[in-house]
């Protein structure tokens, strides 16, 4: 059975070219050109993953992502035409799992989609660990996919949770950006470590008492990140 992808792109030329490329790669593709249409098609078709442009008429891609993420763990890959990290930060904060800058090669989009689908499949098939993982003031429950600090649950996206759990399972061990890219995102980003840095910054904003002075997730300059022992 072919995985169904929801492609949301308002530029007709890009939408049609991308749809052709995804179909040629073996995906079943449904499309939308606006945010409202995207949400309707998502509810109707229950796609395996979403490719979502940031700039859309009406409801923009960030809000579409937030609404999808509020009730679903479906992988979302955002497309951005900007050259700085602004859209990357906003997209990840909205709950996106990955991003790709325009113009992009279909082969790279296909590789990232397959990696996201593979991660989602592995997560669904894996037997959940029952042991609570303690990290400083945090209690991480892998089976419930939940994090609690001082008796209050901390809402994390799927990617944020996996990143925190990976660090927590190796306390005191420095994990390089490349290692985290491989373990959490599942493939080589060709040295684009900004994704890790942005994700760590977002994660700190949710789990640290003072994100500007982190005590749980520490930076090891020139090497990577580590969780407190």
């Amino acid at each position: 059975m072919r995985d169904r992808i929801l492609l949301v792109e308002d530029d007709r030329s890009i939408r049609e070219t991308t749809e052709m490329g995804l179909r040629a790669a073996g995906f079943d593709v449904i499309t939308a050109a606006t945010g409202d249409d995207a949400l309707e098609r998502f509810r109707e078709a229950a796609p395996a993953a979403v490719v979502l442009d940031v700039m859309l008429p009406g409801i923009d891609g960030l809000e579409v992502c937030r609404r999808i993420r509020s009730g679903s763990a479906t992988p979302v890959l955002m497309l951005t035409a900007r050259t700085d990290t602004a859209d990357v930060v906003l997209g990840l904060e909205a709950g996106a799992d990955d991003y790709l800058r325009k113009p992009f090669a279909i082969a790279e989009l296909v590789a990232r989609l397959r990696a996201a689908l593979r991660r989602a499949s592995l997560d669904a098939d894996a037997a959940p660990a029952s042991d609570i993982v303690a990290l400083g003031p945090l209690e991480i429950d892998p089976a419930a996919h939940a994090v609690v600090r001082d008796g209050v649950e901390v809402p994390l996206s799927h990617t944020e949770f996996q990143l925190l759990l990976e660090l927590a399972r190796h306390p005191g061990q420095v994990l390089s950006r490349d290692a985290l890219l491989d373990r959490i995102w599942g493939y080589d980003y060709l040295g684009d470590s900004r994704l890790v840095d942005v994700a760590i910054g977002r994660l700190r904003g949710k789990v640290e008492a003072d994100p500007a002075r982190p005590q749980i997730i520490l930076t090891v300059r020139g090497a990577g990140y580590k969780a407190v022992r």
Side-chain angles (χ1 to χ4, degrees):
M1 183 177 178
R2 304 201 307 177
D3 288 314
R4 177 174 295 170
I5 306 300
L6 171 58
L7 170 63
V8 188
E9 169 61 65
D10 65 318
D11 186 298
R12 180 177 178 179
S13 176
I14 296 175
R15 186 174 65 250
E16 291 179 349
T17 300
T18 305
E19 180 183 4
M20 290 175 58
L22 291 176
R23 290 189 183 279
F27 294 109
D28 180 20
V29 184
I30 54 176
T31 65
T34 69
D36 290 302
D37 287 345
L39 292 170
E40 182 177 353
R41 283 168 173 72
F42 182 83
R43 288 190 293 267
E44 293 174 347
V50 180
V51 177
L52 177 62
D53 188 27
V54 171
M55 302 299 294
L56 294 172
I59 302 173
D60 67 16
L62 298 174
E63 181 59 24
V64 171
C65 185
R66 292 187 192 99
R67 295 189 188 185
I68 288 174
R69 189 56 70 235
S70 67
S72 172
T74 300
V76 176
L77 189 155
M78 298 206 75
L79 304 176
T80 173
R82 295 179 56 153
T83 57
D84 58 25
T85 59
D87 279 344
V88 176
V89 173
L90 292 173
L92 293 174
E93 288 179 344
D97 298 279
D98 196 357
Y99 72 95
L100 190 60
R101 285 191 171 90
K102 296 178 180 180
F104 55 86
I106 291 294
E108 184 175 8
L109 174 60
V110 168
R112 297 195 181 204
L113 273 175
R114 286 178 174 160
L117 291 167
R118 185 166 58 251
R119 291 194 304 274
S121 177
L122 289 173
D123 290 343
D125 293 340
S130 58
D131 292 339
I132 300 296
V133 180
L135 179 60
L138 305 178
E139 294 181 354
I140 306 168
D141 186 343
H145 209 276
V147 176
V148 173
R149 178 180 177 128
D150 301 327
V152 178
E153 185 168 348
V154 180
L156 299 180
S157 72
H158 172 80
T159 300
E160 291 166 350
F161 182 85
Q162 295 300 328
L163 181 58
L164 178 64
L165 185 59
E166 183 66 26
L167 290 164
R169 282 176 168 165
H170 302 86
Q173 178 181 335
V174 179
L175 299 180
S176 70
R177 291 171 175 83
D178 287 342
L180 290 170
L181 283 171
D182 181 62
R183 297 181 192 185
I184 306 305
W185 285 270
Y187 61 96
D188 183 5
Y189 271 73
L190 302 178
D192 189 356
S193 64
R194 287 171 296 184
L195 184 61
V196 175
D197 296 335
V198 170
I200 289 287
R202 185 187 62 217
L203 181 57
R204 282 173 170 163
K206 295 183 177 182
V207 302
E208 298 277 4
D210 182 359
R213 297 177 175 82
Q215 301 297 315
I216 301 172
I217 302 171
L218 308 179
T219 301
V220 181
R221 189 175 298 278
Y225 298 96
K226 69 177 181 180
V228 294
R229 186 178 296 279

